[in-house]
Amino acid sequence: MMAPIPDLASPQGPEPGFSVSHQKVELDIDLLSRSLRGKTELVINPTSKDLRLIRLNCRQCELKSLTVNGKPVPGVRYEDPYQRATLRWAAGVRQYHMLQERLERAIRYPPEAELVVTLPKSVKLEELDPFSDEAQSLLLAKTIGGSKKDSDASALDLMQGTRAGMEHMARFTPLTLSIEYLINWVRDGMQFVGFEDGDLRYPHVYTMNSSSAGAACCLFPCLDDITSRCTWEISIKCSKTVGDAFDSLRTPLNKPNGMINGANVSPQGFGVPDRSDPFSDEDKTLEFTVVCTGDMTDEITDAQDPTRKTTSFICTNAISAQHVGFAIAPFEHVDLAEFREVEEDDRLGQNAVPVHGYCLPGRVAEIKNTCLPLAKAVDFFTMTYGSYPYSNYKLCFVDDSPEDVLHTASFSICSSRLLFPEDVLEPIDLVTRQLVHAVASQWIGVDIVAKECKDAWVIVGIAYYITDTFLRKLCGKNEYRYHQKRAADRVVELDVDRPSLGEMGALLNLDPSERDFMALKAPLVLFILDQRMMKAGASTGLSRIVSRIFLNARVGDFPNGCLDTAYFIKICEKLGHAKLEPFFNQWVEGAGCPKFRVQQRFNKKKLLVEMSVHQIQAENDKEKDLDGATFLRDVKEDAREVYAGPIQPCFTGPMTIRIHEADGTPYEHIVEIKEPYQRFEIPYNTKYKRLKRNRRQKERTAAVAGAELGGDGTDDVLLYSLGDVLQTEDEVKKWRLAEWSADDEERMSQESYEWIRMDADFEWICKMSLTMPGYMWVSQLQQDRDVVAQLESIKYLELQKAHPLISAFLVRTLIDERYFHGIRTAATKALAKCAKEDVGWIGLFHLEKAFQELFCYPDSTMTRPNDFSDRTAYLVQCAIPEAVAEIRDLSGRATLRVRKWLFEKLRYNDNSNNEFSDFHYVAILMKALAYAVSSKAAPRAHEADDFEDDEGDDISFHEACLEEIDRHRRIDEWIPSYHNIISRSALDCKRMLGANHVASFKKVDFLQYTPDGTSDLLRLNAFANMMKLGMARDDAILRWFLFVLGSDPSPFMREQMLLIFGKTLGAIAIGESSEPLPNPASHDGLIIEQEASTEARKADLARKQTVAGALEALRAELAANTMLQQGLWAAINSPIISLRQMWHLLEICDRLYAPQTSMVVVLKLPKYWKCVKVGKGKLLFSQTDRVRTKPLPKRPVKLKISTAGGGGGGGGASGAAATAAASATQGYPFLKRQASSSSGVTGAAAARAFLKPPKPPGQPPPRRIPPASTDVRAESFNHVGEGGKPKLKIKLKLGGGTGLGGG
């Protein structure tokens, strides 16, 4: 028995006094009972001779033995946070703060050490020469774990890489700490799939690695800190086959009883499940494969139990415990290196990195299709940025993963949600970027980590930056720049009242949106840094810097592989030959993005272009309303006093201004932005006349004549390149294309330049407002080959008032296949803005005409069978219905023409001859039709004469639209679509129609998709739509929602349900999800509307714009909801959820309820007693089952005693009465004397049966009421003397009837 040590708890400092150079982990996992036995050995390198305590992170473990250098430890203190994660009394939701205090030490970063080990006194710390042969041999042996290496070169390389930390690691003789432990039921850190009753999926297990501390120490004691790194030996023992795992005759490792991980559970709940065997004989023979961090050394079948095997791995690279992961499943293996091109294979030779893929049975084709570019990505990173840090790369696909990708060393655990078959086109862009980023994270994110929280942006930014550089090679420059431009616009939109990138590192675990924003902005900052460095003369830009960082990490320049911002800036300045401190101060330490207002004017006298650049980001914008989707993030930031970075009045740096002059030549001018307001004079170069109109007229003439432009035309300057389609007179007439007016032609002919590009080299993340005539924007759209310039022109035209001329240019852009697909789809969206009644619905006509031209039979509106072989055409085909659905008339309703067009496209969609799936396209058509139909109230049968005279717009057409949507939903039940996208879209449609009172719905329409066994994405969609419809106010649905949130075995479901719950609370707080208001009162057809009071308007405004006002409104609506309190507290106390999920729920309680520090004590109610006379002077008392819930009423007890002056029996009674009377006069005021006698006092014993003897003289007895247990009641005593008359009466009042009553 290990004795506890004194309480020496103190916050864990940054220096624990030791480091771990090597750790060996042995796990014996029982898959069916979710338990494991473990043993770990840590090689401790003390950094101080005074080291007496070893502090480690350890959770949910039951310690069995601990030794240091083979000697038992004298003292151990272990506090499992899972044991503290519950209140042992009948607490409620208002005691949430008491539970928060228990968990605060485990949630904060870095967490406090749960396991503190005292070193034995016999263990002496002896100093060691770090450069002696003994120290180096010891370090090498401990580092490689005593395993044999195939090559001495690898060991030498390892020694060379760790020599930088030699002096630090070998100052004293290393210690070996050995710990044996048991986990009865794995609650956190590892996910078991396919072992629950009714779960028919293939059984598998995997670790749930996380960038935050607390995941690794759930499986083995360690230093759970990303900056603490060592080498590893890992041995995993498990069942050999699927059949062996489900062998019911084998008992679990340990049968749990009582409290497990803070939850009071029964052994039946977590023992071997009583489940029917769903596997065939063939499935039972499937062998489990163990995939783990590092290199596999051997796989041995247990000699004593042939149904179990042990697989061993070694990792010679120093990595943190957070990057140690493994998976156990009946995997099918795919060699992804076979997709490597032959030229690359020959060029790399033996340096080619093996790439392995693992998937569950039956999904080999999907993993081949999904992971096709990964081998190419590994080769690209290796050749561009440096050698791969590990010997191979592995990735596996598992179910129920809380994140799409979990990063570990040389191994990525991916969600099976990312897999898609060959006939599905839609996920290719997003999934490819996620998987390539997983590969890039092996270099930066696993091998190199952030030194502190404020340095996280460097790691995230570089990882996504090199990901995008590979995608530029894979997908092309246009795709790359188009993606960067859209990301920059998104950053400008989101980076308002947000902290800086440096400050955001400490907030990454606060809300998922924080991490998403950093992943969006950080790589863009590095992108514009690369652009500026390239212009300044650094020919290789940021690529050279990244490769140098990777090289320095390999040679050991980074202690523990930690990179910080200061080092990154230093190496950027060194290799870029420029001072970059202002850049990082503005874009990393500062917050927000610049907004420019630019005006230009041509000075004919001086032949100069005069420009003024004004930064307006400091101007106060209109107060923004709160967003329900991000409300909880705002609340958490407000509670933690996270404030937005100060608005920077001036961003500085170079900006390229490109002027396309009259001869078509672009002239670039680089100006330096230094002040909030600056004026520039840019020289003008061209002396030629403007030839644009002449050239265009010649093109038209040549097109009509059917001849090619030649002869003298070759002397003119060619200005047109794109959008020059639909030019013939017949096409112009057929397409109803507008042309420039004579006045426009004249005005354009007087211009001295075609257009001006601000920030032509994309060196800024900004919003640019350039005052320039519309025809210059059109010239930029048609003549500038840069997709960024084209997209800027589309955005400008989209914001203008609808005009036939704008629609003509946009439809030409849509039809011209030479444009990038992103520009064509952007033009499609902009065309919807031109579909207005005052311009004859020209935009709608052009959209219909374009769809007919591209996807219908000639001269017919009947759609051709789908052919998605051309992906660009497929994207345009998906974009047109979405744009048509956005068209509205002046009353805000979709016209019958729009609804019929969408209805026909959905009904007559034909995918019979298409090699690709049309699930996504059908889903778009369904949503588009529902969105259009929901804009107009449903027609009623008795309203035949509507105010609209649209023929056919009746109830039959309305019902046909709803039936068509539901028909596809029913088809999806029999032929499931990819990820059930059709059913999910049908639920979205039903929600849109129901929210706008266009169609009725029943709650069961959504509830039928929420039980376990349904696809997770479909369940989440059903829950999300119910919450958006305000069903959170239904107690039964709210109870079911919170039950699933707290009890679902899938961590992915629980995480997503938390997000849905947060958005629901946000919508209620700001008034988006309110109960429908009653109809206003009507008096004889006159509707009386009462204006809200000033206070009510102020409260509503505060609710929508301030966090405090929204919280107050949220508490007013939900704080008194008993069902919410019960369901929320039940979810918090669930034995399924993780500590971090529990903490998020407690934070929600903190916003909803006022804390009450109280403890409810539960006592049993008293029961009645009964008394039975058994004879011979004996009474039998026994307790009944009757419970007394009210105190007995107070009632007096009377005692009447009569005496007649004689002896015998009467004398006894007379003596008792006399004694009672005497006592009453001496100190018992509750005895009231009613009569007296001159007779002597006798029979004192009778009175003492009811009265205590009086206190001795000089000590007056205290006045007190006898306790309830001493209550005495007696019937009246009558002693009859001679003549039958009573002589003495005494009335006793003993107690007040508060004791236990008789039967």
Side-chain angles (χ1 to χ4, degrees):
M1 184 69 179
M2 296 173 292
I5 64 176
D7 186 9
L8 301 176
S10 61
Q12 183 177 0
E15 293 294 338
F18 66 92
S19 62
V20 179
S21 62
H22 181 73
Q23 184 165 355
K24 182 178 180 180
V25 178
E26 298 177 4
L27 301 178
D28 185 356
I29 304 176
D30 189 299
L31 301 177
L32 198 57
S33 64
R34 297 183 60 141
S35 61
L36 66 84
R37 288 184 183 273
K39 179 181 179 181
T40 182
E41 292 182 359
L42 298 92
V43 178
I44 306 294
N45 291 309
T47 58
S48 172
K49 197 172 184 178
D50 300 329
L51 178 67
R52 302 312 305 166
L53 299 178
I54 298 177
R55 302 176 184 271
L56 298 174
N57 300 108
C58 179
R59 299 182 180 182
Q60 71 180 5
C61 298
E62 180 183 338
L63 303 179
K64 294 299 182 181
S65 69
L66 291 92
T67 61
V68 176
N69 290 349
K71 301 176 182 180
V73 298
V76 174
R77 184 179 71 248
Y78 175 51
E79 296 182 2
D80 185 6
Y82 290 93
Q83 296 293 335
R84 301 197 304 266
T86 183
L87 300 179
R88 308 294 186 185
W89 59 88
V93 72
R94 294 189 183 274
Q95 283 77 50
Y96 69 88
H97 63 292
M98 306 174 73
L99 193 54
Q100 271 186 320
E101 293 174 358
R102 289 168 168 252
L103 297 181
E104 192 272 334
R105 290 183 297 171
I107 295 298
R108 68 186 180 191
Y109 184 84
E112 289 189 4
E114 296 87 6
L115 176 61
V116 182
V117 181
T118 303
L119 294 180
K121 294 183 178 180
S122 59
V123 175
K124 304 298 182 182
L125 300 182
E126 300 179 357
E127 293 189 11
L128 190 66
D129 182 6
F131 297 103
S132 65
D133 294 338
E134 179 186 1
Q136 296 188 21
S137 301
L138 180 63
L139 177 63
L140 178 61
K142 296 299 182 182
T143 303
I144 65 176
S147 298
K148 295 181 179 180
K149 302 294 291 180
D150 296 334
S151 172
D152 293 337
S154 60
L156 181 60
D157 179 68
L158 178 64
M159 284 295 301
Q160 203 171 20
T162 58
R163 186 170 181 83
M166 178 80 70
E167 185 175 356
H168 176 72
M169 296 176 64
R171 292 181 57 189
F172 301 92
T173 304
L175 308 175
T176 301
L177 172 62
S178 178
I179 305 174
E180 294 184 10
Y181 59 95
L182 175 70
I183 302 179
N184 290 315
W185 188 71
V186 180
R187 174 174 176 175
D188 228 347
M190 190 161 59
Q191 175 65 13
F192 292 76
V193 182
F195 297 97
E196 298 287 337
D197 190 16
D199 193 346
L200 303 182
R201 294 175 292 181
Y202 285 101
H204 56 285
V205 177
Y206 56 92
T207 55
M208 294 190 296
N209 299 75
S210 173
S211 59
S212 58
C217 61
C218 290
L219 302 179
F220 47 84
C222 60
L223 279 178
D224 200 348
D225 185 359
I226 199 170
T227 61
S228 176
R229 298 150 67 94
C230 65
T231 56
W232 295 79
E233 281 184 271
I234 305 168
S235 297
I236 300 174
K237 186 176 182 180
C238 65
S239 301
K240 192 172 183 180
T241 64
V242 173
D244 297 334
F246 287 90
D247 184 4
S248 60
L249 298 178
R250 192 175 62 81
T251 58
L253 296 175
N254 188 64
K255 292 183 178 180
N257 289 288
M259 191 68 63
I260 296 180
N261 294 340
N264 193 8
V265 297
S266 62
Q268 293 78 10
F270 303 103
V272 180
D274 183 13
R275 56 172 284 172
S276 58
D277 194 347
F279 299 105
S280 64
D281 294 338
E282 182 180 357
D283 289 337
K284 291 180 180 179
T285 61
L286 293 175
E287 186 171 350
F288 280 112
T289 301
V290 182
V291 187
C292 182
T293 295
D295 302 320
M296 187 175 73
T297 57
D298 53 45
E299 184 176 273
I300 303 173
T301 301
D302 195 331
Q304 298 180 354
D305 186 355
T307 65
R308 298 178 68 77
K309 66 177 181 179
T310 302
T311 310
S312 301
F313 301 85
I314 184 172
C315 183
T316 58
N317 295 68
I319 59 174
S320 68
Q322 298 178 8
H323 292 141
V324 175
F326 61 85
I328 306 172
F331 284 126
E332 293 187 7
H333 172 254
V334 177
D335 184 9
L336 298 175
E338 67 182 17
F339 298 107
R340 182 177 282 123
E341 296 179 1
V342 179
E343 296 79 4
E344 291 291 329
D345 209 359
D346 295 339
R347 184 158 59 96
L348 294 171
Q350 295 183 351
N351 295 326
V353 179
V355 182
H356 305 281
Y358 297 88
C359 64
L360 296 173
R363 312 199 72 171
V364 171
E366 294 182 15
I367 193 175
K368 287 183 177 180
N369 180 69
T370 306
C371 302
L372 183 64
L374 291 192
K376 190 179 184 68
V378 173
D379 297 340
F380 173 82
F381 293 143
T382 301
M383 299 301 297
T384 306
Y385 301 110
S387 60
Y388 181 66
Y390 308 103
S391 59
N392 58 64
Y393 177 65
K394 308 172 288 288
L395 74 164
C396 72
F397 292 85
V398 295
D399 294 338
D400 292 347
S401 174
E403 299 181 18
D404 289 336
V405 180
L406 303 173
H407 305 287
T408 71
S410 75
F411 178 37
S412 297
I413 302 175
C414 308
S415 171
S416 57
R417 298 183 298 272
L418 299 180
L419 294 174
F420 61 95
E422 292 182 355
D423 62 343
V424 176
L425 296 173
E426 186 59 28
I428 186 171
D429 292 330
L430 179 61
V431 171
T432 300
R433 189 169 191 262
Q434 286 179 294
L435 294 181
V436 173
H437 175 260
V439 175
S441 297
Q442 297 298 317
W443 275 268
I444 182 82
V446 177
D447 187 55
I448 302 175
V449 297
K451 185 176 182 179
E452 298 179 15
C453 292
K454 65 181 181 179
D455 307 316
W457 78 272
V458 181
I459 305 300
V460 174
I462 294 179
Y464 277 104
Y465 172 79
I466 65 176
T467 298
D468 292 336
T469 57
F470 170 73
L471 293 178
R472 177 176 58 187
K473 178 181 179 182
L474 183 68
C475 304
K477 184 178 178 180
N478 283 345
E479 182 76 40
Y480 174 69
R481 290 182 64 84
Y482 176 75
H483 169 77
Q484 298 293 82
K485 176 58 179 175
R486 294 188 63 187
D489 292 342
R490 183 63 176 162
V491 168
V492 172
E493 179 183 351
L494 294 178
D495 198 2
V496 178
D497 296 334
R498 302 289 294 266
S500 65
L501 276 179
E503 296 173 345
M504 195 170 290
L507 308 175
L508 295 182
N509 293 321
L510 186 69
D511 190 82
S513 61
E514 305 282 11
R515 188 176 297 273
D516 295 340
F517 180 75
M518 177 174 284
L520 183 67
K521 183 177 180 180
L524 270 177
V525 171
L526 296 183
F527 168 75
I528 64 173
L529 173 63
D530 176 64
Q531 296 294 96
R532 296 189 183 188
M533 293 178 67
M534 293 283 288
K535 177 171 292 187
S539 58
T540 55
L542 200 61
S543 296
R544 182 186 175 193
I545 295 172
V546 173
S547 61
R548 176 63 65 88
I549 291 174
F550 291 171
L551 176 62
N552 293 349
R554 290 290 290 168
V555 300
D557 280 3
F558 301 158
N560 291 326
C562 297
L563 175 65
D564 60 358
T565 303
Y567 183 90
F568 179 72
I569 296 175
K570 177 182 176 181
I571 197 170
C572 286
E573 292 180 341
K574 180 180 179 180
L575 299 181
H577 308 290
K579 287 294 182 180
L580 299 174
E581 183 179 357
F583 176 86
F584 288 101
N585 288 340
Q586 294 169 17
W587 297 102
V588 177
E589 301 301 328
C593 296
K595 298 179 181 179
F596 293 103
R597 182 189 297 135
V598 182
Q599 294 179 333
Q600 54 82 28
R601 186 179 70 89
F602 182 69
N603 191 324
K604 293 183 179 181
K605 293 182 179 180
K606 298 182 180 181
L607 288 180
L608 294 174
V609 180
E610 299 175 345
M611 305 194 69
S612 62
V613 180
H614 189 195
Q615 297 191 38
I616 59 174
Q617 64 269 11
E619 295 182 2
N620 293 327
D621 293 334
K622 182 181 178 181
E623 188 72 22
K624 291 182 60 177
D625 290 344
L626 295 174
D627 185 4
T630 60
F631 172 72
L632 275 190
R633 186 201 73 201
D634 296 334
V635 170
K636 293 176 182 178
E637 290 181 349
D638 187 71
R640 288 167 174 78
E641 298 182 349
V642 178
Y643 300 112
I647 299 177
Q648 304 180 64
C650 179
F651 285 78
T652 62
M655 179 178 291
T656 302
I657 302 175
R658 182 179 300 161
I659 301 179
H660 293 256
E661 299 188 2
D663 62 348
T665 305
Y667 292 90
E668 291 190 352
H669 308 271
I670 301 176
V671 299
E672 192 72 22
I673 305 296
K674 298 180 180 179
E675 302 293 339
Y677 180 79
Q678 285 182 270
R679 296 179 61 89
F680 301 100
E681 293 184 349
I682 300 176
Y684 185 74
N685 300 279
T686 303
K687 303 298 187 292
Y688 301 103
K689 293 182 179 180
R690 182 178 176 83
L691 305 175
K692 177 179 178 180
R693 297 306 114 200
N694 297 334
R695 175 67 182 180
R696 175 167 186 153
Q697 188 62 37
K698 292 180 180 180
E699 286 178 348
R700 289 181 182 173
T701 305
V704 173
E708 295 184 358
L709 196 65
D712 297 337
T714 57
D715 297 333
D716 294 335
V717 180
L718 180 61
L719 299 178
Y720 274 85
S721 57
L722 298 174
D724 53 352
V725 295
L726 307 178
Q727 296 289 342
T728 65
E729 293 184 3
D730 183 54
E731 290 174 332
V732 169
K733 183 178 179 180
K734 184 178 179 180
W735 284 77
R736 294 164 51 185
L737 300 176
E739 297 292 348
W740 295 109
S741 64
D743 293 339
D744 293 332
E745 294 276 0
E746 179 63 25
R747 192 162 49 251
M748 285 187 289
S749 65
Q750 301 300 320
E751 294 289 350
S752 300
Y753 43 82
E754 292 286 340
W755 72 93
I756 298 177
R757 277 284 311 279
M758 300 295 298
D759 188 24
D761 290 336
F762 204 163
E763 303 168 78
W764 294 75
I765 307 172
C766 64
K767 180 179 180 181
M768 187 75 66
S769 298
L770 174 60
T771 303
M772 192 165 64
Y775 48 78
M776 290 189 178
W777 289 103
V778 173
S779 298
Q780 178 175 305
L781 172 64
Q782 295 178 337
Q783 300 176 37
D784 202 319
R785 297 301 183 102
D786 187 4
V787 294
V788 175
Q790 296 167 5
L791 189 59
E792 290 173 350
S793 298
I794 295 290
K795 294 295 183 182
Y796 171 82
L797 296 177
E798 185 179 5
L799 296 176
Q800 305 308 304
K801 184 180 178 181
H803 194 279
L805 193 57
I806 295 178
S807 185
F809 291 123
L810 291 175
V811 76
R812 284 191 171 108
T813 304
L814 170 59
I815 293 297
D816 194 344
E817 297 180 356
R818 294 171 296 176
Y819 276 106
F820 177 66
H821 69 80
I823 304 302
R824 297 177 67 188
T825 54
T828 303
K829 181 181 178 181
L831 271 172
K833 304 292 184 179
C834 295
K836 302 297 181 182
E837 187 175 3
D838 54 353
V839 291
W841 304 104
I842 187 63
L844 176 58
F845 171 78
H846 282 156
L847 286 172
E848 294 174 339
K849 189 68 175 176
F851 192 91
Q852 178 182 355
E853 180 74 17
L854 297 174
F855 309 111
C856 295
Y857 289 107
D859 300 326
S860 173
T861 58
M862 178 60 67
T863 308
R864 297 194 305 265
N866 294 329
D867 181 11
F868 298 158
S869 57
D870 184 353
R871 187 166 180 267
T872 299
Y874 164 72
L875 295 175
V876 173
Q877 187 172 354
C878 292
I880 293 179
E882 289 180 323
V884 171
E886 296 287 341
I887 298 174
R888 296 289 184 270
D889 59 15
L890 295 178
S891 61
R893 300 175 178 179
T895 63
L896 177 63
R897 177 180 171 186
V898 167
R899 285 176 280 141
K900 279 192 172 182
W901 188 89
L902 293 170
F903 174 73
E904 291 174 356
K905 297 302 172 283
L906 179 60
R907 166 169 283 189
Y908 300 114
N909 176 65
D910 182 6
N911 203 60
S912 57
N913 297 324
N914 191 11
E915 60 178 328
F916 296 98
S917 164
D918 68 339
F919 294 142
H920 181 74
Y921 176 61
V922 171
I924 288 177
L925 290 175
M926 292 170 61
K927 289 183 180 179
L929 178 59
Y931 183 63
V933 171
S934 63
S935 66
K936 182 180 185 298
R940 300 178 182 178
H942 64 276
E943 294 179 353
D945 297 329
D946 199 2
F947 60 88
E948 291 191 31
D949 296 329
D950 292 332
E951 183 179 355
D953 190 9
D954 52 16
I955 191 171
S956 60
F957 173 72
H958 179 78
E959 292 179 348
C961 294
L962 304 183
E963 171 61 24
E964 187 64 24
I965 293 173
D966 196 61
R967 181 177 71 88
H968 285 85
R969 181 193 61 81
R970 295 194 302 270
I971 293 175
D972 194 52
E973 292 180 353
W974 293 97
I975 308 176
S977 57
Y978 174 73
H979 286 173
N980 298 102
I981 187 173
I982 299 296
S983 295
R984 288 156 50 199
S985 299
L987 293 181
D988 291 338
C989 295
K990 192 176 290 291
R991 186 252 309 160
M992 281 190 288
L993 296 170
N996 291 280
H997 308 288
V998 175
S1000 60
F1001 65 90
K1002 300 179 181 178
K1003 296 176 182 179
V1004 71
D1005 295 340
F1006 299 93
L1007 284 172
Q1008 63 179 337
Y1009 294 102
T1010 59
D1012 192 14
T1014 311
S1015 166
D1016 287 347
L1017 295 177
L1018 184 54
R1019 294 178 69 195
L1020 291 170
N1021 182 274
F1023 276 120
N1025 281 308
M1026 286 194 298
M1027 296 300 104
K1028 290 178 181 178
L1029 287 172
M1031 295 188 193
R1033 291 181 171 83
D1034 188 309
D1035 287 348
I1037 292 179
L1038 182 61
R1039 183 193 303 116
W1040 171 238
F1041 180 90
L1042 293 174
F1043 173 79
V1044 174
L1045 188 154
S1047 64
D1048 197 277
S1050 169
F1052 170 73
M1053 276 292 299
R1054 297 196 301 270
E1055 290 288 345
Q1056 297 302 313
M1057 292 286 282
L1058 269 175
L1059 294 179
I1060 294 173
F1061 189 46
K1063 294 178 181 179
T1064 302
L1065 294 179
I1068 295 175
I1070 65 178
E1072 289 182 353
S1073 177
S1074 302
E1075 293 179 330
L1077 298 175
N1079 293 328
S1082 176
H1083 301 275
D1084 298 329
L1086 177 63
I1087 297 177
I1088 301 177
E1089 296 182 355
Q1090 296 181 352
E1091 187 177 356
S1093 64
T1094 305
E1095 291 75 11
R1097 289 198 302 270
K1098 288 182 178 179
D1100 184 67
L1101 186 63
R1103 178 179 191 173
K1104 294 183 179 299
Q1105 294 186 349
T1106 65
V1107 173
L1111 278 177
E1112 184 178 353
L1114 182 64
R1115 295 190 190 102
E1117 290 201 30
L1118 297 181
N1121 190 323
T1122 306
M1123 183 54 61
L1124 176 62
Q1125 297 179 14
Q1126 296 174 354
L1128 199 54
W1129 191 244
I1132 290 172
N1133 288 276
S1134 168
I1136 304 294
I1137 64 174
S1138 65
L1139 285 186
R1140 191 159 295 278
Q1141 292 169 345
M1142 182 185 295
W1143 183 261
H1144 290 325
L1145 290 175
L1146 289 172
E1147 286 187 315
I1148 292 176
C1149 293
D1150 192 20
R1151 309 299 177 260
L1152 287 177
Y1153 307 109
Q1156 293 180 358
T1157 304
S1158 61
M1159 179 185 294
V1160 179
V1161 180
V1162 179
L1163 299 177
K1164 293 183 179 180
L1165 292 171
K1167 295 183 179 180
Y1168 283 92
W1169 290 75
K1170 67 180 180 179
C1171 178
V1172 179
K1173 183 178 180 182
V1174 296
K1176 296 182 180 182
K1178 296 182 179 179
L1179 299 177
L1180 178 63
F1181 292 86
S1182 61
Q1183 195 177 47
T1184 66
D1185 294 333
R1186 183 184 174 193
V1187 178
R1188 181 163 59 82
T1189 60
K1190 296 181 180 180
L1192 294 175
K1194 294 182 179 181
R1195 57 188 179 186
V1197 179
K1198 297 180 180 180
L1199 178 61
K1200 298 180 181 180
I1201 302 177
S1202 300
T1203 60
S1214 175
T1219 303
S1223 300
T1225 60
Q1226 293 181 8
Y1228 287 91
F1230 54 83
L1231 293 178
K1232 182 177 182 182
R1233 183 170 181 155
Q1234 295 181 344
S1236 61
S1237 173
S1238 60
S1239 303
V1241 179
T1242 59
R1248 289 195 181 101
F1250 303 96
L1251 302 175
K1252 290 185 178 180
K1255 293 290 182 179
Q1259 296 183 7
R1263 294 188 58 178
R1264 62 188 180 89
I1265 299 175
S1269 59
T1270 60
D1271 186 22
V1272 179
R1273 297 189 300 274
E1275 295 181 358
S1276 298
F1277 282 55
N1278 293 319
H1279 183 77
V1280 182
E1282 295 180 359
K1285 296 182 180 180
K1287 298 297 182 180
L1288 176 66
K1289 293 182 180 180
I1290 298 178
K1291 184 177 181 181
L1292 301 177
K1293 293 182 179 179
L1294 302 180
T1298 59
L1300 296 175

